[in-house]
Amino acid sequence: MSTKYTKNETPTAVLKNESARQRWDLFHRAIAHAKQSNDAAMLDADTSASKSGRPMLTIVR
């Protein structure tokens, strides 16, 4: 954590800003992980369907 802050920002405000930045970083990493997991699951489903020789049918509501 940086100890640099402007004169109008208190150290408490800097800590809050750093905390918000960390939460956003965690949020974006979670979204990226979910997307990667979803892509992997779809690829796995496609390869397992192609191995069986039958098309995979899904019903989406």
Side-chain angles (χ1 to χ4, degrees):
M1 181 175 69
S2 176
T3 58
K4 299 177 185 176
Y5 58 93
T6 60
K7 293 186 188 261
N8 61 352
E9 264 189 316
T10 64
T12 305
V14 173
L15 287 174
K16 288 180 182 178
N17 290 341
E18 179 66 16
S19 176
R21 187 199 62 76
Q22 288 176 354
R23 284 194 309 271
W24 276 110
D25 184 50
L26 184 61
F27 171 76
H28 288 292
R29 286 186 2 207
I31 294 296
H33 181 268
K35 183 178 179 184
Q36 183 182 15
S37 176
N38 191 29
D39 289 345
M42 288 175 59
L43 181 63
D44 186 40
D46 287 345
T47 56
S48 66
S50 66
K51 286 180 184 177
S52 67
R54 297 185 333 203
M56 184 175 131
L57 300 176
T58 59
I59 298 173
V60 179
R61 295 182 185 227

